[in-house]
Amino acid sequence: DGSGAIVYAADIGFAGLHLVANAILTWDASAASAASERTALLTARMPEPTADGWRWSCERLGAEGRWTRPHGAVIERVLLTDAAAGSGRDVRWSCIAPTSHARLALPGSTIEGPGYVERLEITIEPWRLPLTTLRWGRAASYARSVVWIQWTGAPPLNQIRVDCVEHEAMSI
């Protein structure tokens, strides 16, 4: 019906501090209201793998989600490596479930339909990322998925993945 949600889970560590954060962005296609977002910091949780996909819950947000994947393709790619010799820091992207069945239970409603799961690991300090512009998006159905990543900086990146197959793009 056009309604949907995006669930964010972040595990952040810096200078000896550690924080897990969750956020949910939802929209209702049948309502005239704008999208709404809710966040949780102290009781946040990271998604957990299951035998048939992923699950996530956050008691503070009153939310619980499951993503079951009909295709087991997992893609991992290092998008950027820090130029400093031996730093071992990078930007790593994993497309965990390019197509999945998603079910998100929220207070007063349930959203169900095609879904997508990815993980982004950044071990480079944000201020050292050589980005000037970032465009990142995805579209998923039960049968197909498309992910696009474009950033300007050094080095530039224009990438499209259709059903897990990488294609270089002139522009996005």
Side-chain angles (χ1 to χ4, degrees):
D1 71 353
S3 298
I6 300 174
V7 176
Y8 297 95
D11 187 346
I12 305 163
F14 181 72
L17 301 173
H18 184 253
L19 174 69
V20 177
N22 292 155
I24 302 175
L25 174 68
T26 58
W27 60 94
D28 183 346
S30 64
S33 61
S36 65
E37 182 177 8
R38 298 179 11 221
T39 60
L41 297 175
L42 300 177
T43 59
R45 295 179 57 190
M46 294 301 292
E48 300 169 348
T50 65
D52 64 347
W54 289 83
R55 77 169 170 245
W56 167 86
S57 65
C58 181
E59 186 176 326
R60 184 172 186 139
L61 297 176
E64 185 174 343
R66 285 191 51 81
W67 292 262
T68 54
R69 57 180 180 241
H71 307 290
V74 174
I75 301 162
E76 184 173 302
R77 180 161 190 248
V78 174
L79 300 177
L80 178 73
T81 300
D82 192 353
S87 75
R89 298 178 183 204
D90 57 23
V91 175
R92 187 175 305 266
W93 170 68
S94 301
C95 182
I96 297 166
T99 60
S100 68
H101 176 77
R103 184 175 196 281
L104 182 63
L106 302 165
S109 69
T110 298
I111 299 171
E112 195 164 355
Y116 173 91
V117 179
E118 71 181 352
R119 177 177 42 233
L120 182 64
E121 296 177 67
I122 303 173
T123 56
I124 300 172
E125 296 88 346
W127 56 88
R128 292 187 54 154
L129 290 171
L131 303 176
T132 54
T133 303
L134 174 62
R135 293 184 180 101
W136 194 306
R138 78 236 4 106
S141 70
Y142 288 121
R144 314 245 10 218
S145 69
V146 178
V147 178
W148 57 93
I149 304 169
Q150 177 193 43
W151 71 39
T152 56
L157 176 68
N158 288 304
Q159 182 184 106
I160 296 176
R161 285 189 180 267
V162 179
D163 297 331
C164 304
V165 177
E166 182 177 335
H167 303 275
E168 286 297 318
M170 295 301 290
S171 68
I172 295 177

